[in-house]
Amino acid sequence: VITDAEGRYIDVNPAACHLLGRSREELLGQTITDFFALDQEFLKNWQNIQTNQCFRGESCLQSADGTLHEVEYATTTHFLPHRHLSVLRDITQRKQAEAKIRSLNEQLEQHVLERTRQLEHANQELRREIQERQRTETALHESEAHHQEILNNLSELVCCFLLDGTLTFVNRAYCQYFNKSSQELIGRSFFDLLPLSEWATLHQQIAT
């Protein structure tokens, strides 16, 4: 579009007519203020039109049917004496796409934040369960050590073994009786330490 110093349209091309929704005859003589929602930056540039050779920006215009369009403009002042050339490009779809992308990014960020909170909560629960399990295992080991100490202080022979006779625990009196260490006894068969004459009886007792 071509305007004079007061912003009146002197000439427009078909693309501008299509964008503004009016014929060339309807547009000639009208001013930019009839269509543009002028922002402060645009007004400042236009007021300084005598000194600015060119300026660019974005603004919003309203076509004849009331539709609002986001436009990008580039204005060259005094390309002819007292005549100013402006090139307009409709960027409404681009702006809508950018807004949609921003919205999707915000949604994604919210999803990431929510997922991060969920993972942090899950990690806290996992750490709590691990700590609880460690406390339980520590208490169990302490209890086992306490019981073993009690059994080791007994003067009677005490042992634990599996159904096949494999020893899993022997107390101090048991080791002293057989004159062997606990490492030598644990894992051996209980029956190896007994006379053969008692094997059958002991097998029967274990079976019942």
Side-chain angles (χ1 to χ4, degrees):
V1 296
I2 299 174
T3 60
D4 60 16
E6 284 71 37
R8 287 190 298 268
Y9 291 121
I10 303 301
D11 197 6
V12 293
N13 69 352
C17 295
H18 177 74
L19 179 62
L20 296 171
R22 294 174 186 261
S23 67
R24 183 175 183 276
E25 291 72 19
E26 290 175 312
L27 290 173
L28 295 182
Q30 296 197 38
T31 66
I32 59 174
T33 57
D34 295 328
F35 301 96
F36 280 86
L38 302 179
D39 54 30
Q40 293 300 316
E41 181 182 0
F42 186 96
L43 290 174
K44 181 179 178 181
N45 287 333
W46 189 261
Q47 290 167 358
N48 296 331
I49 197 168
Q50 300 300 328
T51 57
N52 291 343
Q53 291 185 345
C54 62
F55 55 90
R56 298 173 178 271
E58 296 178 2
S59 188
C60 182
L61 65 80
Q62 187 175 29
S63 62
D65 62 0
T67 303
L68 294 177
H69 298 271
E70 295 280 345
V71 295
E72 185 178 65
Y73 61 84
T75 299
T76 300
T77 62
H78 302 291
F79 82 107
L80 292 175
H82 309 293
R83 296 292 183 264
H84 315 302
L85 174 66
S86 296
V87 178
L88 308 177
R89 184 173 63 163
D90 190 348
I91 57 173
T92 304
Q93 291 185 350
R94 190 189 80 186
K95 287 291 187 179
Q96 291 174 346
E98 290 174 351
K100 185 174 182 179
I101 291 173
R102 284 195 300 271
S103 177
L104 291 174
N105 285 336
E106 291 173 358
Q107 293 177 19
L108 179 60
E109 289 176 1
Q110 288 297 322
H111 178 72
V112 170
L113 289 174
E114 180 61 26
R115 184 57 179 161
T116 300
R117 284 193 291 267
Q118 292 175 355
L119 290 174
E120 289 176 350
H121 178 72
N123 287 335
Q124 290 175 355
E125 287 296 313
L126 180 60
R127 286 193 294 268
R128 186 188 62 78
E129 291 178 4
I130 291 174
Q131 291 172 354
E132 184 64 27
R133 182 175 298 178
Q134 289 174 341
R135 285 194 293 268
T136 301
E137 290 177 352
T138 299
L140 179 61
H141 291 324
E142 291 176 351
S143 177
E144 290 178 349
H146 178 67
H147 291 158
Q148 288 182 7
E149 184 63 24
I150 293 174
L151 295 176
N152 279 327
N153 289 331
L154 295 176
S155 59
E156 292 84 358
L157 274 63
V158 179
C159 71
C160 297
F161 54 88
L162 303 177
L163 291 177
D164 62 358
T166 301
L167 289 166
T168 59
F169 171 78
V170 291
N171 70 346
R172 191 176 295 114
Y174 197 98
C175 295
Q176 292 173 350
Y177 181 83
F178 288 102
N179 194 27
K180 294 183 181 295
S181 66
S182 60
Q183 291 80 4
E184 292 177 297
L185 292 170
I186 293 175
R188 290 187 57 181
S189 174
F190 173 78
F191 301 106
D192 293 343
L193 304 174
L194 300 176
L196 290 175
S197 58
E198 298 182 13
W199 280 27
T201 302
L202 187 57
H203 271 294
Q204 184 177 3
Q205 290 176 348
I206 293 175
T208 57

